[in-house]
Each structure stands twice: as structure tokens, then as C-alpha cells.
Amino acid sequence: MYFTDRGIEELTERRGEEEVTLGWLAERLREFVDLNPDFETPVDRLATWLARLDEDDEE
């Protein structure tokens, strides 16, 4: 188990029943980076990965 799994598990437990839009998620990521600028690169990588997730399926 990775250290980050604990945060993912907490997210699932606390908010797993909610439905959100990708626009809402993008705003939360922007807020997070504004508050934690050191995480700009990892958040950018995550957002890019999510945005391109189905790219291989289209080829």
C-alpha cells in the first residue's frame, strides 16, 4: 500500500457517494495548487493523465 492510498481511502469513505463534474474537480485542483504551489507539477501531471485517459481507445 502506498502512503497516498490512505488519502484515497478517506476520499472514498467520506465522499464516495457524491457525483461531481470534471469542471468541479478542475476548480478544486486549481484551488489546491493556489494553496500549495509546490504541488503544481504533480497536479498538472494528474490532470493531463486524466484528460488523456481514453486516448489509446480512440486509435
Side-chain angles (χ1 to χ4, degrees):
M1 174 186 278
Y2 292 102
F3 178 75
T4 55
D5 287 349
R6 292 190 306 192
I8 293 169
E9 287 176 6
E10 181 178 350
L11 176 63
T12 301
E13 289 173 12
R14 289 177 172 242
R15 305 188 77 150
E17 299 299 319
E18 294 179 27
E19 291 186 27
V20 300
T21 67
L22 291 177
W24 180 90
L25 177 60
E27 285 303 313
R28 301 301 74 79
L29 291 172
R30 285 184 190 104
E31 289 175 12
F32 179 80
V33 170
D34 286 346
L35 295 170
N36 304 279
D38 290 344
F39 289 95
E40 180 178 6
T41 298
V43 169
D44 181 61
R45 287 179 182 168
L46 173 61
T48 301
W49 180 77
L50 289 171
R52 298 175 182 173
L53 200 53
D54 62 350
E55 217 171 59
D56 290 338
D57 294 342
E58 294 175 6
E59 294 176 359

